[in-house]
């Protein structure tokens, strides 16, 4: 089972790349027939990824999402899953190359972090940890999607302003749609990450006896979350321009990811499992 | 006649061979088409006939044993019918036969031969032409199959190439751009500045997309009111323009004003009040109505006539690039049609059936040769040949009867193949 899971872990980035190449062909309009073939491809990739996640947890007998490999892998999986739902409901394949590229990066990071040692951290023994981890990752997914939509908004806004009406213009959706999706994803991300953070503090209190830990990761994530909340409220109250909201969403996500990476690779944190 | 002989021919006048005045002169309305089809079937001994007549082409398709021999007479007759000499003018008229005619029909229905490459309206017009002929029972098996394949060609060209993608009309280019700014036009409001023909036409295309409300501003209030009433909208005086601009999502301006109707300062102020919500402005006026500086304001998208023209040109070029890909699909179906014709046309069936029955006849005569009176052998040959011809003729008669019904025609063909164990190509 371990070998099987290992092979899948290393194969997944290549499979993601294959699917991205397919979307690149659609994006550049090289073959219109491909547009009708994306759904089975996405379902196939999703299934392979699901098998990888399940087989790994059977192999290491650990609580799900307890390592950085699992966290990034699940993040890629949920981005892929959300994208598939979006594509099926909106019938727009132009954003596929952007969103799936993000999923690929997460999956690549995950593949470089395969760790087969069982975690012994007492925090991970608490069953409610799984809820904390999965809700937080879903929150990250929503914030990642918001940043991607914001990026596409900036591109499309620029296309229309500068009259760059080529392939990129044709493939990208309307700017009001991208703006709405980015704002909605931020809102969902704030709610989910908020629940995840609260749950995390709750678990810490149960296991370590205190709601607040003076830990670099907790400080970074909580701070970024508060900035997101303030930014979102300000944008609603002051009716920020779409372009400002887009930059805010991208910047927020970059800080969040860089903060996470800093904790994992550089700093010392009790939360170092991811 | 070989089994690959395709019993089809056409002649016509199109945008490729004649100017619009001549095309107008030879066009056939629905009533005329009915008369022409009925007359051609009756007078010229063809098996089937159908017509395509649009503002860009008038084409007559005939099917039968030898279309090439009857087309000159039909052209002459049509010339008299339309009281013109254009149908006899070889500079204007083209004649196409066999698989080239099939190729041409497929190119026409898929928009490859259209004045504006890739336009989709032609498919509907070709279908109308076929339906009219079919209702008159003027389509035989070959024409039915041709149309059936043509519909598949059209579908594949649209699904597998970009030939019909991207707008190629200026008014639609505006609508298409608006769709890239607002995903849904149904909850958006449009402001039309001016009430002339250009403004009216642009308003029509946007209102076709069920925009929520139309506002019309014009120097002459009554004209604004007339246009607004067409779409149950609201009319305003010109001095109310800044107030209406606050409500509008799409603005079309087409006045004959010598000065800018909307200045950058005015738009900056309005945009701030709108919290920079997107607004799409189209300037169709010459000289311009909208200050080009407006384009620099955040959330404001300004396009003029030249910009829209450029979009149309760009899309046309893209469509032309798709022609080779589309031709590949057409070639595939021409081949399919040739195959079908070779296996299923009446001439082919008659030939195959005759050959098979003849083999049976000769085998039987050979087998019984020694028991037959030698002096009567010639009569036996004549008798059995005559029986075979009668059987073949009877089948062809039934096939002809079913020629207007593609399903029954095919059922009878299959029956012949199974019953007499004929081999397909």
């Amino acid at each position: 089972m371990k070998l099987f899971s290992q092979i899948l872990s290393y194969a997944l980035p290549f499979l993601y790349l294959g699917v991205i190449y397919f979307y690149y062909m659609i994006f550049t309009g090289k073959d219109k027939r491909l547009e009708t073939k994306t759904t089975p491809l996405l379902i196939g990739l999703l299934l392979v990824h699901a098998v990888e996640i399940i087989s790994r947890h059977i192999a290491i007998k650990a609580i799900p999402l307890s390592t950085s490999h699992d966290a990034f892998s699940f993040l890629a999986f949920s981005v892929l899953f959300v994208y598939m739902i979006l594509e099926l409901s909106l019938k727009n394949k132009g954003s596929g190359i952007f969103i799936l590229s993000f999923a690929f990066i997460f999956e690549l990071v995950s593949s470089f972090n395969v760790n087969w040692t069982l975690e012994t951290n007492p925090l991970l023994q608490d069953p409610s940890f799984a809820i904390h981890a999965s809700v937080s990752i879903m929150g990250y997914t929503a914030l990642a999607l918001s940043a991607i939509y914001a990026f596409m908004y900036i591109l499309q806004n620029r296309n229309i302003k500068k009259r760059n009406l080529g392939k990129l213009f044709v493939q990208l959706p309307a700017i009001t749609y991208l703006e709405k999706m980015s704002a909605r994803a931020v809102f969902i991300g704030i709610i989910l990450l908020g629940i995840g953070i609260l749950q995390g503090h709750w678990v810490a209190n149960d296991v370590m006896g205190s709601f607040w830990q003076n830990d670099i990761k907790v400080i970074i994530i909580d701070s970024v979350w508060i900035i997101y909340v303030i930014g979102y409220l300000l944008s609603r109250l002051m009716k920020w321009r779409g372009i400002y909201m887009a930059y805010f969403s991208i910047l927020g996500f970059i800080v969040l990811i860089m903060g996470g990476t800093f904790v994992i690779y550089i700093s010392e944190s009790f939360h170092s499992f991811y | 006649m070989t089994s690959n002989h395709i019993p089809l021919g056409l002649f016509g006048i199109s945008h490729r061979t004649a100017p619009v005045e001549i095309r107008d002169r030879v066009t056939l309305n629905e009533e005329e088409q009915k008369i022409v089809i009925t007359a051609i079937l009756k007078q010229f001994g063809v098996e089937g006939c159908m017509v395509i007549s649009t503002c860009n082409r008038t084409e007559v398709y005939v099917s039968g044993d030898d279309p090439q021999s009857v087309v000159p007479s039909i052209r002459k007759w049509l010339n008299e019918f339309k009281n013109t000499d254009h149908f006899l003018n070889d500079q204007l008229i083209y004649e196409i036969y066999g698989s080239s005619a099939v190729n041409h029909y497929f190119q026409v229905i898929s928009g490859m031969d259209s004045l504006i490459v890739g336009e989709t309206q032609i498919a509907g017009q070709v279908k109308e032409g076929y339906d009219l002929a079919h209702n008159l029972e003027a389509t035989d098996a070959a024409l039915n199959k041709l149309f059936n394949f043509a519909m598949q060609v059209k579908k594949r060209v649209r699904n597998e190439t970009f030939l019909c993608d991207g707008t190629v009309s200026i008014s639609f280019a505006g609508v298409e751009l608006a769709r890239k700014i607002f995903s849904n036009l149904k909850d958006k409001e449009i402001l039309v500045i001016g009430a002339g023909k250009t403004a009216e036409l642009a308003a029509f295309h946007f209102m076709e997309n069920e925009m929520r409300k139309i506002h019309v501003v014009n120097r002459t209030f009554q004209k604004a009111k007339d246009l607004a009433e067409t779409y149950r909208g609201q009319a305003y005086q010109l001095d109310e323009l800044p107030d209406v601009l606050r409500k509008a999502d799409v603005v079309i301006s087409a006045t004959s004003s010598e000065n800018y109707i909307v200045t950058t300062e005015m738009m900056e102020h309005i945009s701030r009040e709108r919290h920079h919500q997107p607004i799409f402005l189209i300037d169709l006026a010459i000289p311009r109505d909208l200050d080009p500086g407006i384009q620099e304001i955040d959330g404001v998208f300004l396009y003029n006539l030249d910009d829209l023209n450029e979009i149309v040109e760009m899309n046309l070029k893209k469509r032309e690039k798709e022609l080779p890909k589309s031709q590949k699909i057409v070639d595939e179906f021409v081949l399919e049609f040739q195959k079908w014709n070779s296996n299923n046309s009446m001439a082919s069936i008659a030939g195959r059936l005759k050959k098979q029955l003849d083999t049976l006849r000769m085998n039987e005569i050979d087998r019984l040769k020694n028991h037959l009176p030698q002096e009567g052998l010639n009569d036996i040959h004549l008798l059995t040949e005559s029986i075979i011809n009668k059987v073949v003729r009877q089948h062809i008669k039934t096939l002809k009867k079913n020629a207007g019904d593609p399903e029954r025609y095919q059922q009878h063909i299959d029956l012949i193949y199974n019953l007499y164990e004929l081999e397909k190509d």
Side-chain angles (χ1 to χ4, degrees):
Chain A
M1 187 61 85
K2 191 176 162 184
L3 180 71
F4 176 65
S5 177
Q6 233 164 355
I7 292 168
L8 282 183
S9 294
Y10 291 121
L12 270 173
F14 293 104
L15 295 178
Y16 270 82
L17 263 187
V19 174
I20 288 168
Y21 178 71
F22 200 84
Y23 275 89
Y24 165 78
M25 296 291 283
I26 291 173
F27 189 80
T28 51
K30 288 196 172 134
D31 193 343
K32 201 179 180 186
R33 282 172 299 181
L34 299 180
E35 287 180 12
T36 55
K37 290 166 186 156
T38 56
T39 309
L41 212 67
L42 287 176
I43 292 173
L45 184 59
L46 210 61
L47 283 175
V48 174
H49 201 149
V51 169
E52 189 266 343
I53 291 172
I54 294 165
S55 64
R56 179 173 155 80
H57 288 293
I58 292 171
I60 63 168
K61 296 184 180 66
I63 291 174
L65 309 170
S66 57
T67 66
S68 56
H69 165 83
D70 295 327
F72 278 111
S73 175
F74 191 70
L75 194 56
F77 179 81
S78 43
V79 170
L80 176 67
F81 181 66
V82 173
Y83 173 70
M84 194 183 77
I85 292 170
L86 285 174
E87 187 185 293
L88 288 175
S89 54
L90 299 167
K91 314 273 179 230
N92 184 298
K93 297 165 205 295
S95 50
I97 187 162
F98 297 96
I99 298 179
L100 294 176
S101 296
F102 264 72
F104 164 72
I105 293 167
F106 294 141
E107 187 48 39
L108 197 67
V109 174
S110 165
S111 291
F112 277 113
N113 279 288
V114 184
N115 183 0
W116 294 96
T117 334
L118 193 65
E119 279 292 343
T120 51
N121 193 313
L123 275 171
L124 303 182
Q125 307 309 313
D126 193 306
S128 59
F129 164 79
I131 302 169
H132 160 69
S134 53
V135 172
S136 299
I137 288 174
M138 282 192 259
Y140 288 134
T141 306
L143 294 176
L145 282 173
S146 168
I148 300 164
Y149 278 116
F151 177 64
M152 289 194 282
Y153 171 90
I154 292 167
L155 287 178
Q156 189 67 314
N157 191 63
R158 198 183 149 80
N159 284 339
I160 302 174
K161 272 274 185 199
K162 305 277 179 201
R163 293 165 173 75
N164 296 331
L165 307 178
K167 281 169 186 162
L168 194 61
F169 164 78
V170 173
Q171 291 291 338
L172 289 175
I175 52 169
T176 53
Y177 165 79
L178 293 168
E179 186 185 350
K180 208 187 291 174
M181 290 303 281
S182 178
R184 204 170 285 178
V186 162
F187 177 71
I188 295 168
I190 287 171
I191 299 289
L192 290 173
L193 195 59
I195 295 170
I197 288 172
L198 208 68
Q199 171 81 2
H201 284 293
W202 198 271
V203 176
N205 184 46
D206 281 352
V207 180
M208 301 165 88
S210 165
F211 273 103
W212 178 255
Q213 307 295 322
N214 260 340
D215 180 85
I216 184 74
K217 169 129 186 214
V218 177
I219 293 167
I220 288 174
I221 301 297
D222 284 16
S223 307
V224 174
W225 183 78
I226 289 167
I227 292 169
Y228 260 118
V229 173
I230 293 170
Y232 184 76
L233 291 175
L234 276 177
S235 77
R236 307 299 289 178
L237 288 171
M238 297 175 70
K239 293 188 173 163
W240 277 2
R241 301 175 192 190
I243 200 87
Y244 291 170
M245 193 61 205
Y247 284 126
F248 167 73
S249 174
I250 293 171
L251 205 70
F253 188 69
I254 290 171
V255 172
L256 193 69
I257 287 292
M258 283 175 72
T261 315
F262 174 74
V263 172
I264 291 169
Y265 297 106
I266 300 163
S267 77
E268 284 293 316
S269 164
F270 82 91
H271 205 287
S272 61
F273 33 87
Y274 75 91
Chain B
M1 187 185 302
T2 66
S3 61
N4 277 328
H5 166 81
I6 292 180
L8 281 174
L10 74 94
F11 66 92
I13 289 179
S14 79
H15 62 93
R16 292 192 190 277
T17 58
V20 68
E21 304 78 47
I22 294 177
R23 300 202 304 267
D24 274 351
R25 182 71 193 82
V26 299
T27 192
L28 296 165
N29 63 33
E30 199 181 316
E31 278 315 304
E32 286 174 323
Q33 284 183 40
K34 283 180 187 170
I35 297 168
V36 166
I37 290 170
T38 315
I40 290 175
L41 277 182
K42 214 168 164 184
Q43 296 177 33
F44 299 96
V46 293
E47 301 287 339
C49 176
M50 63 183 179
V51 173
I52 300 173
S53 193
T54 72
C55 52
N56 285 326
R57 74 179 66 243
T58 293
E59 288 175 348
V60 177
Y61 290 76
V62 288
S63 61
D65 283 344
D66 190 8
Q68 216 152 347
S69 66
V70 289
V71 161
S73 323
I74 298 175
R75 278 174 60 179
K76 204 172 159 196
W77 178 86
L78 203 54
N79 219 39
E80 283 164 21
F81 176 75
K82 282 299 281 183
N83 195 21
T84 167
D85 57 1
H86 299 319
F87 283 105
L88 288 180
N89 186 339
D90 287 336
Q91 303 293 316
L92 302 174
I93 290 275
Y94 45 86
E95 284 183 22
I96 309 173
Y97 297 98
S99 50
S100 301
V102 177
N103 178 69
H104 180 80
Y105 190 68
F106 292 167
Q107 283 182 337
V108 169
I109 200 168
S110 55
M112 291 167 68
D113 194 55
S114 293
L115 182 61
I116 296 166
V117 173
E119 61 106 354
T120 52
Q121 214 182 354
I122 186 68
Q125 292 162 331
V126 170
K127 186 176 182 307
E128 277 169 23
Y130 169 79
D131 286 344
L132 191 131
H134 191 67
N135 291 339
L136 290 171
E137 295 180 356
T139 56
D140 65 343
L143 289 182
N144 286 331
K145 201 66 196 174
L146 180 74
F147 179 72
N148 179 287
F149 275 139
M151 293 303 278
Q152 293 179 54
V153 171
K154 177 205 82 177
K155 199 176 163 193
R156 277 194 55 191
V157 166
R158 285 193 195 173
N159 288 342
E160 295 176 21
T161 74
F162 296 95
L163 188 83
C164 307
D165 289 11
T167 183
V168 286
S169 102
I170 286 180
S171 307
F172 278 119
V175 176
E176 208 160 90
L177 266 168
R179 282 213 191 95
K180 285 289 183 187
I181 297 169
F182 312 104
S183 49
N184 184 9
L185 290 178
K186 286 183 183 170
D187 60 354
K188 299 287 174 274
E189 299 189 9
I190 181 171
L191 161 64
V192 180
I193 309 171
K197 282 257 179 276
T198 313
E200 199 181 328
L201 185 69
F204 167 75
H205 284 301
F206 273 95
M207 291 312 284
E208 255 191 336
N209 284 274
E210 297 174 30
M211 291 193 74
R212 189 170 62 195
K213 197 171 180 186
I214 184 169
H215 308 276
V216 185
V217 170
N218 194 46
R219 211 175 289 277
T220 317
F221 183 71
Q222 190 53 45
K223 280 188 176 175
K225 212 173 153 195
D226 291 345
L227 178 57
E229 273 171 6
T230 317
Y231 303 103
R232 292 186 196 154
Q234 211 168 334
Y236 302 84
Q237 304 280 1
L238 195 60
D239 56 6
E240 292 175 277
L241 180 62
D243 293 329
V244 198
L245 272 170
R246 282 182 193 95
K247 304 179 201 172
D249 302 290
V250 176
V251 179
I252 295 166
S253 195
T255 75
S256 49
S257 168
E258 292 295 322
N259 304 312
Y260 293 140
I261 303 264
V262 180
T263 60
T264 307
E265 293 71 36
M266 186 199 284
M267 202 61 224
E268 261 171 0
H269 182 66
I270 289 164
S271 189
R272 261 197 306 275
E273 285 183 6
R274 293 165 52 95
H275 298 285
H276 296 278
Q277 286 299 304
I279 183 166
F280 177 39
L281 300 109
I282 306 173
D283 192 347
L284 297 177
I286 296 171
R288 292 180 188 186
D289 281 345
L290 312 176
D291 188 341
I294 285 173
Q295 170 65 13
E296 303 306 319
I297 305 167
D298 191 20
V300 178
F301 303 94
L302 171 66
Y303 277 71
N304 61 36
L305 210 53
D306 290 342
D307 299 325
L308 298 180
N309 258 324
E310 229 171 90
I311 294 171
V312 167
E313 287 296 318
M314 194 175 73
N315 285 340
L316 274 172
K317 273 184 196 154
K318 272 190 213 161
R319 285 184 177 198
E320 271 159 24
K321 272 189 184 169
E322 292 296 303
L323 281 171
K325 245 191 247 177
S326 311
Q327 185 58 45
K328 266 188 187 171
I329 296 169
V330 167
D331 289 344
E332 224 179 274
F333 276 91
V334 170
L335 211 68
E336 282 294 312
F337 188 86
Q338 281 171 339
K339 230 188 265 176
W340 175 88
N341 180 65
S342 154
N343 285 324
N344 301 288
S345 70
M346 279 185 224
S348 149
I349 288 291
R352 280 160 199 257
L353 191 54
K354 178 96 175 32
K355 197 176 160 199
Q356 176 78 336
L357 291 177
D358 229 24
T359 314
L360 281 174
R361 182 179 72 86
M362 288 307 288
N363 287 347
E364 284 307 292
I365 289 176
D366 277 349
R367 192 166 65 83
L368 300 169
K369 214 174 186 172
N370 297 335
H371 307 284
L372 296 171
Q374 292 306 303
E375 64 277 13
L377 212 53
N378 268 348
D379 292 339
I380 288 170
H381 272 291
L382 285 173
L383 175 73
T384 51
E385 258 176 39
S386 163
I387 291 170
I388 282 171
N389 286 339
K390 278 211 164 66
V391 170
V392 173
R393 262 205 301 275
Q394 188 56 42
H395 277 302
I396 296 302
K397 209 171 129 190
T398 317
L399 280 175
K400 275 186 180 169
K401 215 170 83 187
N402 291 334
D405 184 341
E407 209 174 312
R408 290 187 68 178
Y409 181 86
Q410 196 54 50
Q411 276 172 2
H412 197 85
I413 294 274
D414 292 340
L415 176 85
I416 296 170
Y417 269 99
N418 290 332
L419 196 63
Y420 300 102
E421 295 178 336
L422 303 187
E423 276 181 17
K424 286 192 179 181
D425 282 346

